[in-house]
Amino acid sequence: MIFLVLVPSVIISSGLLAHRLLSVPTRVIAAKMDNLTKEFEFGGDENCKSYSDIAEIRVIQTSFDAMKNAIKSFSKFAPVHVVKSLLHNRNEAVLGVEEVECSIFFSDVMNFTQISEAVPPEMLIQTMSEYLNAMARIIEDHRGIFLDFIGDAVFAQFVGPGHESRAVEVAVAQQEMLHLLRRDWKEH
C-alpha cells in the first residue's frame, strides 16, 4: 500500500523537478533569443547570472552569451540597422562589391577653424563629441550608413528606396538638432 502511494508521489516530484530544471531555463533562453533576433534587444548588458546545472542547458546559455557579445561587437563596426536586417532575415554578411544607386551625404561645421581657435580645447572636444554623436545618430535613425568623421565633417551614404529623400530629411533633422544643441550649449 505504501508502495502505491510512494511511486506516484515520486513520479510527480520528478516531473516537477524536471520542469524546473529543463523547461524554465529553456523558456528563458528561448525568449532572449527571440528578442535578440526580432527586436535586437539584448536583455541587459550582463551575461547570464546563473548557469544551469544541466550540461546541455549550460552549453546553450554560454553559447547564447557568446553570440550576443559577438553581435554587439559587430554592431559597433557595421551600421546597427544592417546588423538588425541580417538577424531578422537570417542572412549572412558577404564580402563583395555591388553597384547601387545611392545618395552621398556630407555635412560640416561652418567656421570650425574660427570656433576652434576661440574655444578652450576641453570645451571644444566635449562640444564636438556631442555634436558628432548626435549627427551620426540622426543618420542611423534614417537608415543611412554612417561612413566616417572627417575632421568636423560627417560622411554618410543612403541606399535603397527613397535614399534621396532620406538624405534630405537628415539634413533638415541635423539643422533642427543643431538648434537644440546650440541652445543647450548657451545655457552651460
Side-chain angles (χ1 to χ4, degrees), residues 48-67:
C48 192
K49 296 242 187 257
S50 62
Y51 293 105
S52 175
D53 291 329
I54 298 171
E56 292 83 359
I57 299 293
R58 190 172 50 254
V59 167
I60 292 169
Q61 290 171 321
T62 57
S63 295
F64 175 76
D65 284 344
M67 178 186 69

Side-chain angles (χ1 to χ4, degrees), residues 24-35:
V24 172
T26 305
R27 222 178 294 130
V28 168
I29 199 76
K32 286 183 177 182
M33 287 178 164
D34 194 46
N35 281 341

Side-chain angles (χ1 to χ4, degrees), residues 54-150:
I54 298 171
E56 292 83 359
I57 299 293
R58 190 172 50 254
V59 167
I60 292 169
Q61 290 171 321
T62 57
S63 295
F64 175 76
D65 284 344
M67 178 186 69
K68 179 177 75 170
N69 291 336
I71 291 169
K72 285 171 70 175
S73 296
F74 184 54
S75 66
K76 292 176 183 173
F77 299 100
V80 172
H81 74 274
V82 172
V83 177
K84 283 182 184 181
S85 176
L86 290 170
L87 276 170
H88 182 73
N89 297 322
R90 297 173 175 7
N91 291 335
E92 181 180 344
V94 293
L95 187 59
V97 177
E98 179 181 350
E99 189 173 316
V100 295
E101 185 176 318
C102 67
S103 295
I104 300 297
F105 180 90
F106 285 97
S107 68
D108 73 340
V109 177
M110 188 169 63
N111 300 323
F112 179 73
T113 302
Q114 292 171 340
I115 293 169
S116 66
E117 291 171 350
V119 175
E122 299 82 17
M123 181 185 279
L124 181 66
I125 290 170
Q126 175 64 34
T127 303
M128 286 305 297
S129 177
E130 286 179 45
Y131 168 79
L132 293 172
N133 285 330
M135 299 305 121
R137 204 170 26 255
I138 290 169
I139 290 166
E140 289 177 353
D141 289 347
H142 288 80
R143 294 180 304 143
I145 301 169
F146 167 76
L147 298 172
D148 202 1
F149 294 125
I150 305 170

Side-chain angles (χ1 to χ4, degrees), residues 166-179:
R166 286 186 285 122
V168 171
E169 289 168 8
V170 163
V172 172
Q174 285 187 347
Q175 289 298 311
E176 292 168 353
M177 177 57 73
L178 182 57
H179 176 73

